Amino acid sequence: MKLLRYGNAGHERPGILDSNGKVRELGSVVSDINGKTLSDESLKKIASLDINSLPLVTEPVRFGACVNNVGKFICIGLNYADHAAESGVAVPAEPVVFMKATSAITGPNDNIIKPRNSTKLDWEVELGIVIGKHASYVELDEAMDYIAGYCVINDVSERNFQLERPGGQWDKGKGCDSFGPIGPYLVTKDEVADPLNLNLWLKVNGKTFQNGSTDQMVFGPQFLVHYLSQFMSLQPGDVISTGTPPGVGLGQKPLIYLNEGDVVELGIEGMGVQKQVVVNAK
């Protein structure tokens, strides 16, 4: 299933994509796409519906973030060996973990807001994991049971804030408003035969910069859920962004960063496409 949220910002309604790629209303079945909706029982209920008989959404659709009320937005750094190489650092022995502010979350086609004093605004296409049930000290061989589905994420980053400002805190360059476009769809795991065999790509102004595969991940989704649950409980609706392949602006020679008016397009095989325009903060 491809679950989604549509409507004006702050007033999104739950929906689902039908077999013809059309958006159908889901509000008569669930109140929102959030942690409660992602329980095994709730997903089975949705799966049992005749999706094509649900009311069709006919008005122009704005997609919101595909999951609401995200409690934790956890990110994994340097999780592709070739991206670590372009960043000039060694492949980590354990996952590099940092957090994005949940206030960074936006719809997949909303504007990227370039912060005041930003000089090195960058892009990162990433596979997102959405947690479906409470996870604490999860065994590796059971970790997939805790994943509800997957989605596209643009881990927008400000490299000056992240790497060059005093204090050495990645979070400063990762959590600005609009730095977490999520969606358009939450694709339930039954539709993803192998999350470690997906093409993911990103273009800026029509030029392809990232074109990789999740088969290059150092730590896959199953391991990440297991690993993170040793340090913190994961809750339904939590999102894990799993790292990016090479081709980010920081890795270009000469360096390339985003500016007002630039258009970013990105997607993951079977999970939809995002498109954002860069605007300056007011």
Side-chain angles (χ1 to χ4, degrees):
M1 296 182 294
K2 291 182 173 66
L3 304 175
L4 56 94
R5 301 173 64 250
Y6 67 95
N8 294 331
H11 300 280
E12 294 90 347
R13 291 168 284 176
I16 190 168
L17 211 65
D18 70 17
S19 59
N20 297 311
K22 303 293 185 181
V23 176
R24 300 277 177 167
E25 296 180 15
L26 203 55
S28 62
V29 184
V30 294
S31 61
D32 203 350
I33 307 300
N34 53 27
K36 184 177 180 180
T37 309
L38 301 178
S39 69
D40 290 341
E41 180 181 358
S42 178
L43 291 178
K44 287 178 182 177
K45 180 180 179 181
I46 296 171
S48 69
L49 299 172
D50 177 5
I51 302 301
N52 289 347
S53 70
L54 293 172
L56 187 64
V57 178
T58 56
E59 71 264 24
V61 171
R62 171 198 170 267
F63 290 106
C66 60
V67 60
N68 196 22
N69 298 323
V70 175
K72 291 189 286 296
F73 193 172
I74 308 165
C75 298
I76 308 300
L78 306 171
N79 197 29
Y80 287 69
D82 35 13
H83 173 54
E86 75 169 349
S87 301
V89 297
V91 173
E94 293 189 25
V96 174
V97 180
F98 62 94
M99 298 283 195
K100 271 177 112 72
T102 55
S103 55
I105 294 173
T106 60
N109 303 317
D110 293 344
N111 291 337
I112 293 172
I113 302 170
K114 184 178 182 181
R116 296 178 183 178
N117 304 312
S118 168
T119 58
K120 297 181 178 180
L121 186 63
D122 208 346
W123 58 82
E124 296 188 7
V125 58
E126 306 201 1
L127 175 68
I129 301 168
V130 183
I131 298 298
K133 58 183 177 181
H134 176 91
S136 181
Y137 297 109
V138 173
E139 298 294 335
L140 179 59
D141 61 357
E142 297 176 348
M144 291 297 291
D145 294 340
Y146 295 83
I147 296 175
Y150 304 92
C151 61
V152 182
I153 294 176
N154 188 357
D155 176 17
V156 183
S157 308
E158 213 299 333
R159 303 303 188 186
N160 181 13
F161 296 179
Q162 176 192 357
L163 302 172
E164 300 174 21
R165 295 288 293 268
Q169 292 292 327
W170 278 24
D171 292 18
K172 288 186 288 190
K174 294 287 191 172
C176 303
D177 290 354
S178 81
F179 275 24
I182 297 179
Y185 315 127
L186 191 167
V187 182
T188 52
K189 64 182 175 185
D190 58 291
E191 289 201 9
V192 183
D194 183 0
L196 286 176
N197 187 28
L198 299 170
N199 173 252
L200 63 173
W201 57 270
L202 183 144
K203 299 178 181 180
V204 179
N205 298 328
K207 179 180 178 180
T208 298
F209 283 91
Q210 293 186 276
N211 187 15
S213 172
T214 56
D215 66 8
Q216 296 301 304
M217 276 191 191
V218 180
F219 307 105
Q222 183 172 349
F223 181 83
L224 291 173
V225 172
H226 154 72
Y227 180 85
L228 291 170
S229 76
Q230 310 305 307
F231 302 96
M232 66 190 83
S233 62
L234 304 175
Q235 309 295 334
D238 283 354
V239 173
I240 304 168
S241 201
T242 60
T244 197
V248 299
L250 179 65
Q252 305 303 310
K253 295 180 180 179
L255 301 175
I256 298 175
Y257 293 114
L258 297 170
N259 290 295
E260 183 181 25
D262 286 339
V263 178
V264 183
E265 299 170 271
L266 59 147
I268 299 177
E269 180 181 350
M271 297 190 185
V273 173
Q274 300 185 356
K275 183 176 182 178
Q276 297 117 22
V277 177
V278 179
V279 300
N280 287 330
K282 295 179 180 179

